[in-house]
Amino acid sequence: MAQVVFGMASSRSPLTACGPEFWGQIGERDKQSRRLRRVDGSPITYEQLLAEASPDIAAQCTPEVFAQKHLAMSKAFQTVVERLAAADPDVVVMMGDDEEEYIPDDLRPAIAIYRGATWENIPRATNQADPIAVATNWQWGREQATFPMAPEISTHVLKHLIDAEFDVGDTLTLKAMAHGFGFVYERLL
């Protein structure tokens, strides 16, 4: 019988994927974003967020504060890496959002489980004129790689979720690993 030896959750916002020197640019980019969401998942505009934000937040938007927060985040990630290595798991189970990278809108279950024997990590092409894209591109992998999966565990989880009446789908044919999973391989494993 399997035993859970370590559990963790991690943010992987663009701020965790690049240095603090890009954070102000990301904030500027967010002004035009149509993907901003409230905590409950409902859409919100940048202007609405700004109107609702505490005035204290402005004091945190300085290069010095960004550098402090980046250092704290880097130390926290290093702690996770060390604790995961110390746990020495036989299998790592990851959950994350595809963010519309490879799962099409016309076939998007609430939960999708990949049951393939391997998964490709394929670096994406990057617009070299976009400094944020260049800085965060490593999440799609620095080089093409094939990672082993555990389809017997995926199938086990799938069967149990179905028995528990979850809305779940499965696939053997995801084109490549979404950046949220590449983030874990590149940063944490």
Side-chain angles (χ1 to χ4, degrees), residues 3-16:
Q3 178 182 358
V4 176
V5 297
F6 184 77
M8 62 150 294
S10 169
S11 171
R12 51 163 198 79
S13 82
L15 302 183
T16 66

Side-chain angles (χ1 to χ4, degrees), residues 25-36 44-47:
Q25 295 173 47
I26 291 170
E28 289 299 315
R29 182 184 69 181
D30 282 349
K31 290 179 180 179
Q32 281 77 41
S33 178
R34 298 197 187 311
R35 297 186 69 189
L36 301 177
I44 188 169
T45 67
Y46 185 88
E47 291 75 22

